C-alpha cells in the first residue's frame, strides 16, 4: 500500500505535486499509442517538453538524440496515419523518454502490434534498460515477461500475490496458486490437449472483496482459514508469496 519514487511518497502526495511527478519523473507508454492524429512525429514527441515551458526550438533540439535513438529521424514530418504500428509505438516511447524520467511505465506496449513489430519493440526496451532506464512492464503476456524483465510481481485483484526474480517465478519450486493457474493456462507445444485449462470462476467485485484471501473463491484447495483470514507473506531469499499454504514463517 506504499510506493515511493526518488524518496517521494507517491501514496501521500497531493494532487498538484502528483501532477508534477507525472510530468517530470514518470514516462508513460500506452498500448494504443495515444498520439495526436493531426500532429506530426516531431510535434507528438516534443509535447511533454512544451508542457514544461520550453520553446519549440529548445524542445526540438533537446529531443534530437532520442529521435535518432528510436530510428525516427527520417519520419519527423509524418502524421500517425502514415506510420506502421511499430513506428507509432516508437513515437510514443520517444515521447516518454524526452523528459528523461526516473521511471518508464509501459502498459501492454506490444498488445496492439503484430509479432514482428512486437519483437522489435521488445528489443528496444532491452536496449533502453541496458542504457540505465528503469522500466515497469505491465502485461498479461508471460512471454514478454520472460524476454524483458529482471523482477516479476504477479498481481491479482490489485494485490501482489507473488514477487521475485525472473528465475523465482519461472523455475522456482514454490508458487502462489494463481501463478500456477496462469502457467497452466498456457498452451503446451509438447502435450496434446483438446481444450485449454482456464482458471475457473471470476475476479472478485472490487467493491465487495472477500474477507480473507481474495483468491479463495477460485481454488479447489481453499480452506476455512483462506475464507476468513488475510494470508501472511511467506518470504525466502527475496521470493515472496502471499498465501496460507506457506504460512509466512520463513524469511531470509
Amino acid at each position: 500500500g506504499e510506493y515511493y519514487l526518488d524518496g517521494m511518497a507517491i501514496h501521500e502526495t497531493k494532487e498538484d505535486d502528483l501532477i508534477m511527478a507525472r510530468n517530470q519523473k514518470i514516462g508513460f507508454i500506452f498500448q494504443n499509442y495515444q498520439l495526436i492524429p493531426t500532429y506530426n512525429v516531431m510535434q507528438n514527441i516534443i509535447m511533454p517538453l512544451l508542457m514544461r515551458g520550453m520553446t519549440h526550438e529548445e524542445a526540438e533540439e533537446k529531443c534530437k538524440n532520442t529521435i535518432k535513438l528510436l530510428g525516427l529521424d527520417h519520419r519527423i514530418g509524418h502524421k500517425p496515419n502514415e506510420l506502421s504500428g511499430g513506428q507509432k509505438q516508437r513515437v510514443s516511447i520517444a515521447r516518454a523518454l524526452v523528459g528523461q524520467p526516473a521511471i518508464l511505465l509501459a502498459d501492454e506496449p506490444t498488445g496492439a502490434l503484430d509479432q514482428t513489430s512486437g519483437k522489435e519493440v521488445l528489443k528496444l526496451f532491452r536496449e533502453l534498460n541496458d542504457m540505465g532506464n528503469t522500466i515497469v512492464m505491465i502485461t498479461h503476456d508471460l512471454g514478454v515477461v520472460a524476454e524483458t524483465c529482471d523482477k516479476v510481481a504477479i498481481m491479482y485483484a490489485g494485490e501482489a500475490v507473488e514477487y521475485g526474480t525472473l528465475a523465482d517465478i519461472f523455475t522456482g519450486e514454490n508458487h502462489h496458486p494463481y501463478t500456477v493457474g496462469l502457467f497452466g493456462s498456457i498452451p503446451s507445444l509438447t502435450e496434446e490437449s483438446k481444450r485449454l485449462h482456464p482458471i475457473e470462476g471470476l475476479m472478485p467485485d472490487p467493491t465487495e472483496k472477500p474477507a480473507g484471501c481474495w483468491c479463495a473463491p477460485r481454488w479447489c484447495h481453499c480452506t476455512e482459514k483462506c475464507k476468513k483470514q488475510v494470508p501472511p507473506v511467506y518470504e525466502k531469499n527475496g521470493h515472496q508469496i502471499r498465501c496460507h499454504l506457506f504460512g509466512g514463517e520463513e524469511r531470509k
Side-chain angles (χ1 to χ4, degrees):
E2 299 179 354
Y3 46 110
Y4 298 82
L5 179 59
D6 282 349
M8 177 185 290
I10 301 294
H11 57 286
E12 298 177 346
T13 302
K14 295 180 179 179
E15 185 62 26
D16 288 346
D17 292 331
L18 192 56
I19 291 173
M20 181 278 294
R22 290 174 183 147
N23 286 342
Q24 299 185 14
K25 294 179 177 290
I26 305 172
F28 294 94
I29 302 166
F30 303 99
Q31 177 177 346
N32 59 348
Y33 324 124
Q34 296 289 342
L35 303 180
I36 297 178
T38 56
Y39 282 14
N40 62 31
V41 168
M42 176 66 81
Q43 291 169 324
N44 269 286
I45 291 175
I46 67 173
M47 192 190 313
L49 301 179
L50 298 180
M51 292 176 67
R52 294 189 186 184
M54 286 190 185
T55 65
H56 274 79
E57 291 75 16
E58 290 172 333
E60 289 182 7
E61 182 64 29
K62 185 174 178 63
C63 71
K64 280 183 178 179
N65 289 337
T66 302
I67 289 174
K68 186 174 182 180
L69 173 67
L70 274 293
L72 295 167
D73 39 333
H74 63 298
R75 293 284 188 177
I76 57 175
H78 289 66
K79 301 285 181 64
N81 66 342
E82 299 175 289
L83 305 176
S84 67
Q87 289 169 337
K88 291 177 186 177
Q89 193 62 293
R90 284 175 179 268
V91 174
S92 71
I93 295 171
R95 181 181 57 191
L97 283 172
V98 290
Q100 298 178 319
I103 192 168
L104 290 172
L105 299 183
D107 184 7
E108 295 285 8
T110 61
L113 304 178
D114 59 70
Q115 188 174 19
T116 300
S117 298
K119 286 185 176 181
E120 291 177 355
V121 169
L122 290 180
K123 180 175 180 291
L124 177 60
F125 274 115
R126 289 194 295 271
E127 291 172 354
L128 292 173
N129 186 235
D130 290 341
M131 294 167 61
N133 293 281
T134 299
I135 303 169
V136 175
M137 185 78 67
I138 304 163
T139 180
H140 68 279
D141 190 332
L142 291 170
V144 170
V145 174
E147 285 192 54
T148 59
C149 298
D150 301 307
K151 297 179 180 179
V152 183
I154 302 294
M155 305 293 294
Y156 182 84
E159 181 181 81
V161 295
E162 184 168 354
Y163 173 81
T165 64
L166 189 68
D168 288 334
I169 303 301
F170 279 76
T171 62
E173 294 182 2
N174 296 323
H175 295 291
H176 189 278
Y178 182 60
T179 306
V180 175
L182 286 179
F183 280 94
S185 64
I186 299 175
S188 174
L189 296 177
T190 58
E191 297 179 8
E192 291 189 12
S193 178
K194 293 182 179 180
R195 293 179 60 86
L196 298 178
H197 302 284
I199 300 173
E200 300 296 334
L202 298 173
M203 293 276 287
D205 184 334
T207 63
E208 297 181 12
K209 290 181 178 177
C213 176
W214 297 345
C215 302
R218 303 183 72 179
W219 313 125
C220 60
H221 43 258
C222 167
T223 66
E224 286 301 313
K225 180 187 286 189
C226 297
K227 297 177 182 178
K228 296 177 181 179
Q229 297 181 20
V230 175
V233 176
Y234 167 87
E235 181 176 342
K236 183 176 181 180
N237 299 326
H239 184 194
Q240 301 175 8
I241 305 173
R242 184 182 290 275
C243 183
H244 286 297
L245 289 175
F246 303 98
E249 72 283 352
E250 183 169 1
R251 285 179 177 269
K252 292 183 180 179

